[in-house]
Amino acid sequence: MPTVPAEPGPFPFEVGSTALLVIDMQRDFLLPGGFGESLGNDVGQLARVVPPLAALLAAAREAGMLVVHTREGHEPDLSDCPPAKLRRGAPSLRIGDPGPYGRILVRGEHGHDIVDELAPLPGEVVLDKPGKGAFYATDLQQLLTGAGVTQLLVTGVTTEVCVHTTVREANDRGYECLVVSDCVGSYLPEFQRVGLQMIAAQGGIFGWVAPSSAVVTALSPATATVA
């Protein structure tokens, strides 16, 4: 069984019962001019996640692991966007407004889709979610149950919002989660640091944390076995 050296301790996993979850690596969050930047954020903080995540994604695919991508966004009429979410914050562009990549966080628009470097392959699952957590108003639970998945390798953005929300709910649902530290990102370095600390605190209260290099190394024997 592959084992990842992690905090607060080793994370053993089986490829067949583990899924790689790639959360919201969308143009609207990562690219200049998108929703993330309209909130006053430095999108360069998220861009650094792309290379290690691309390498991890390739390793997971080679190992035959289930890969699930999520995208946060809304129907064109915004009927699934609560008014409280629509009003929150003080961005220069709000959800549904025209932006450089189409209407902000609207399904079917260019900005709503995943960045080219991490584009899903044909047959990979892409779940559209209207909220922060990957389980809310999606079929993620049914998908994982049907695939026999009990463990998650969690990646994506942002660490303190959609990643944390998903991991906390996954923990309550009984999943063991390893958050891959350099494959999650925050616009704010302090939030990144504290967000990761909170996952593994108190003996792994929400899960485990490890860098992608350790996960890719652990996947290598599994890849050889599958081949």
Side-chain angles (χ1 to χ4, degrees):
M1 181 181 294
T3 299
V4 178
E7 294 293 337
F11 181 82
F13 68 97
E14 295 182 358
V15 170
S17 58
T18 304
L20 174 63
L21 186 57
V22 184
I23 297 174
D24 299 359
M25 295 298 289
Q26 297 160 250
R27 297 185 183 102
D28 269 335
F29 293 132
L30 272 76
L31 298 188
F35 186 55
E37 190 171 80
S38 81
L39 292 165
N41 295 309
D42 175 10
V43 294
Q45 295 291 330
L46 301 192
R48 66 185 64 186
V49 172
V50 173
L53 181 46
L56 176 59
L57 186 56
R61 287 167 170 164
E62 184 67 22
M65 183 177 289
L66 175 66
V67 176
V68 179
H69 305 261
T70 73
R71 300 181 297 199
E72 182 180 349
H74 299 279
E75 299 290 350
D77 64 0
L78 304 184
S79 58
D80 60 349
C81 184
K85 181 179 182 180
L86 195 59
R87 292 192 304 263
R88 192 147 319 143
S92 59
L93 294 172
R94 291 197 176 272
I95 295 171
D97 286 348
Y101 312 112
R103 294 178 65 205
I104 296 290
L105 288 186
V106 169
R107 296 176 186 178
E109 300 288 341
H110 186 66
H112 176 257
D113 214 349
I114 294 164
V115 296
D116 294 344
E117 299 93 328
L118 304 172
L121 294 180
E124 288 183 346
V125 177
V126 180
L127 294 177
D128 287 326
K129 60 186 184 70
K132 304 296 191 290
F135 291 95
Y136 174 69
T138 74
D139 295 328
L140 181 57
Q141 176 73 67
Q142 297 92 315
L143 171 70
L144 298 178
T145 299
V149 169
T150 59
Q151 298 174 296
L152 299 173
L153 304 180
V154 183
T155 67
V157 299
T158 64
T159 305
E160 73 277 11
V161 183
C162 295
V163 171
H164 246 271
T165 304
T166 298
V167 169
R168 288 169 182 243
E169 183 164 357
N171 177 72
D172 282 343
R173 290 173 181 256
Y175 294 97
E176 294 182 330
C177 297
L178 171 67
V179 176
V180 187
S181 57
D182 54 335
C183 292
V184 296
S186 171
Y187 297 117
L188 304 172
E190 183 67 6
F191 286 4
Q192 171 79 354
R193 181 184 67 81
V194 174
L196 292 174
Q197 286 182 339
M198 292 172 69
I199 296 291
Q202 302 178 54
I205 194 166
F206 294 121
W208 289 256
V209 175
S212 61
S213 58
V215 181
V216 170
T217 298
L219 278 169
S220 297
T223 304
T225 301
V226 171

